[in-house]
Amino acid sequence: MSGPHGPGRSGPFDDEPDRGQYGAADALRIPVPRVSVEDRGPLPDLPAVEPLVLEHRVLKSLLGAWALAACSPEEAAAVDLHLEDCGDCAEEALRLRDAVGLLHAEESLDLDPMLRSRVLESCLSRRPARIPVPDWATPYDAETARLDALLKDIGDSEWHAPVRLRWYEHDEQVSRRTTVAGVIAHLTSVDGLVARALGLDDPYPGAATALDGLGPAARTEAHWKAASAPPTRTVRGPWRDQSHALIRTVSFAGSGTGGSGGLPVPYGDFDLALRDAMIDRAFECWIHAGDIADAVDYPYEPPAPRHLNRMIDLAARMLPGSLAARGASGGGGRNVRLEIEGAGGGEWLIALDGDVPGREVAHVALDGVEFCRLAAGHVSPDEAAAGQVGDRQAIRDVLSATASLSRL
């Protein structure tokens, strides 16, 4: 065989080094390849450890080291043998073992829900993505990933755990009973509105024509009624695949001024721009993930502050339309200052009378998560913990209009 040293010459890493080229002393410094333990057959039995013969006072002094597993094998064997016969030392050893356990703080086995975002942010800061996810789509990407992690962690029976979905209609709280699997079917159905606007397949074959023009609630009810059997954990796959397809499609479409962010997404009675529809889907994903977490007794945290801020901002921008639909206009160009406290908060001026410039008549303050729960219909305007100053009726109108944003 020919090698780098010429035909027939052996290199320094061949089985038999060329001692003539390197010299005997050099050849000895080249290590012989190790043989794997697995290639040598079964491991030999370890020799039995002979316990040391020690006095009682010496053995008692070794109990602390024994509890910390810091004794030599011979000392440990001697202590183990002694504890079989000495009750006093056995009790002391047990107390020391318990004390050692207290030195190690218990750690939660649940992963930090923000771990994925931090890892991605760290990776992208070193090497930006060739096809980045638009800023307005990152909340949906994060919330679907968090919900998917929750679903992966629950058992088969928990997919049938009862879940009560709540929202507001005509100033009254209404609810709908379903299961964990039913909630995922609902999310898949409404996400399908965005999928269809992007030219993707409808998640439910054969439903495209029958569901034309239907809003989120009617679309979900139609899917639930059309199902031949109650949904099971098999709904996770289609929902997950669809969420990935949405993120991939909006990323390839681009996030600049010429991108797809302004594409209208029909919601039945109204349209939302794609950038707002993705925020809306992130919001509902988080809210319903919380519903599922409550049903299966699973801890679930709010979104990242920057994502929560986008959700609050969308709700605040939709409030004037909700107020107009409720006929809350009183004329005169009144404004209410909405202050959202905590992570993701900020301030918004809510126009009660259309775009007519006017005066500020009230100031209302809520925690960010509390405001979102109100917008989701999970708390009533009367129950919402809100600080209020100014025109009480104007504040009542804003809080009620916020609850009216909710839907199935």
Side-chain angles (χ1 to χ4, degrees), residues 68-204:
L68 292 168
C71 290
S72 67
E74 294 80 9
E75 291 172 337
V79 173
D80 289 338
L81 187 63
H82 177 67
L83 295 180
E84 295 177 3
D85 300 323
C86 181
D88 292 340
C89 286
E91 291 180 4
E92 179 66 16
L94 182 61
R95 285 194 294 270
L96 290 171
R97 268 288 166 88
D98 291 341
V100 169
L102 297 176
L103 297 176
H104 302 280
E106 295 184 0
E107 297 181 359
S108 172
L109 296 179
D110 292 327
L111 292 177
D112 184 343
M114 296 308 300
L115 178 60
R116 178 179 183 273
S117 296
R118 288 203 302 269
V119 171
L120 288 176
E121 186 175 355
S122 175
C123 293
L124 294 177
S125 65
R126 297 173 182 269
R127 182 177 180 180
R130 293 178 60 186
I131 305 175
V133 176
D135 288 343
W136 41 264
T138 54
Y140 178 79
D141 187 26
E143 292 309 311
T144 52
R146 292 208 301 148
L147 175 54
D148 191 47
L150 185 158
L151 298 176
K152 183 179 180 181
D153 205 32
I154 67 176
D156 291 343
S157 62
E158 291 176 311
W159 280 88
H160 304 287
V163 180
R164 186 167 293 278
L165 304 180
R166 295 168 291 164
W167 69 99
Y168 256 72
E169 283 185 4
H170 309 299
D171 290 339
E172 291 185 0
Q173 191 174 52
V174 295
S175 64
R176 181 72 154 78
R177 184 182 175 90
T178 184
T179 63
V180 170
V183 175
I184 301 304
H186 165 57
L187 289 175
T188 306
S189 174
V190 185
D191 283 356
L193 293 171
V194 182
R196 294 180 68 180
L198 288 170
L200 301 175
D201 292 337
D202 193 282
Y204 297 97

Side-chain angles (χ1 to χ4, degrees), residues 33-378:
R34 295 183 178 180
V35 179
S36 172
V37 172
E38 287 80 0
D39 296 336
R40 298 176 180 172
L43 293 173
D45 294 332
L46 294 175
V49 176
E50 291 293 335
L52 299 175
V53 179
L54 302 172
E55 296 180 5
H56 178 273
R57 62 180 181 82
V58 177
L59 291 166
K60 187 174 182 179
S61 69
L62 289 173
L63 291 179
W66 174 86
L68 292 168
C71 290
S72 67
E74 294 80 9
E75 291 172 337
V79 173
D80 289 338
L81 187 63
H82 177 67
L83 295 180
E84 295 177 3
D85 300 323
C86 181
D88 292 340
C89 286
E91 291 180 4
E92 179 66 16
L94 182 61
R95 285 194 294 270
L96 290 171
R97 268 288 166 88
D98 291 341
V100 169
L102 297 176
L103 297 176
H104 302 280
E106 295 184 0
E107 297 181 359
S108 172
L109 296 179
D110 292 327
L111 292 177
D112 184 343
M114 296 308 300
L115 178 60
R116 178 179 183 273
S117 296
R118 288 203 302 269
V119 171
L120 288 176
E121 186 175 355
S122 175
C123 293
L124 294 177
S125 65
R126 297 173 182 269
R127 182 177 180 180
R130 293 178 60 186
I131 305 175
V133 176
D135 288 343
W136 41 264
T138 54
Y140 178 79
D141 187 26
E143 292 309 311
T144 52
R146 292 208 301 148
L147 175 54
D148 191 47
L150 185 158
L151 298 176
K152 183 179 180 181
D153 205 32
I154 67 176
D156 291 343
S157 62
E158 291 176 311
W159 280 88
H160 304 287
V163 180
R164 186 167 293 278
L165 304 180
R166 295 168 291 164
W167 69 99
Y168 256 72
E169 283 185 4
H170 309 299
D171 290 339
E172 291 185 0
Q173 191 174 52
V174 295
S175 64
R176 181 72 154 78
R177 184 182 175 90
T178 184
T179 63
V180 170
V183 175
I184 301 304
H186 165 57
L187 289 175
T188 306
S189 174
V190 185
D191 283 356
L193 293 171
V194 182
R196 294 180 68 180
L198 288 170
L200 301 175
D201 292 337
D202 193 282
Y204 297 97
T209 303
L211 299 179
D212 278 344
L214 295 184
R219 182 179 168 88
T220 296
E221 292 288 357
H223 284 156
W224 281 343
K225 290 178 181 178
S228 58
T232 65
R233 68 175 305 143
T234 57
V235 298
R236 180 191 172 203
W239 168 79
R240 190 171 186 267
D241 292 343
Q242 180 176 250
S243 66
H244 289 177
L246 291 177
I247 292 297
R248 185 167 54 249
T249 302
V250 299
S251 298
F252 274 101
S255 58
T257 56
S260 60
L263 179 72
V265 178
Y267 268 68
D269 296 336
F270 62 96
D271 291 354
L272 281 179
L274 177 61
R275 61 173 62 88
D276 288 339
M278 293 297 286
I279 299 296
D280 171 79
R281 303 314 308 137
F283 174 79
E284 188 167 1
C285 183
W286 162 47
I287 291 297
H288 287 329
D291 294 334
I292 292 172
D294 290 341
V296 299
D297 195 22
Y298 193 100
Y300 209 76
E301 297 296 324
R306 63 184 182 277
H307 296 164
L308 187 62
N309 178 265
R310 285 183 174 271
M311 298 175 190
I312 294 170
D313 178 69
L314 174 61
R317 287 188 285 112
M318 295 177 69
L319 274 177
S322 179
L323 285 161
R326 293 174 53 84
S329 175
R334 299 168 300 152
N335 293 325
V336 172
R337 181 173 299 276
L338 174 65
E339 179 182 354
I340 303 301
E341 302 170 335
E347 290 190 0
W348 289 261
L349 272 180
I350 309 301
L352 275 69
D353 308 310
D355 296 329
V356 180
R359 66 193 188 285
E360 183 177 319
V361 298
H363 184 174
V364 59
L366 295 92
D367 172 74
V369 173
E370 183 78 351
F371 175 78
C372 289
R373 295 183 69 231
L374 176 63
H378 281 41

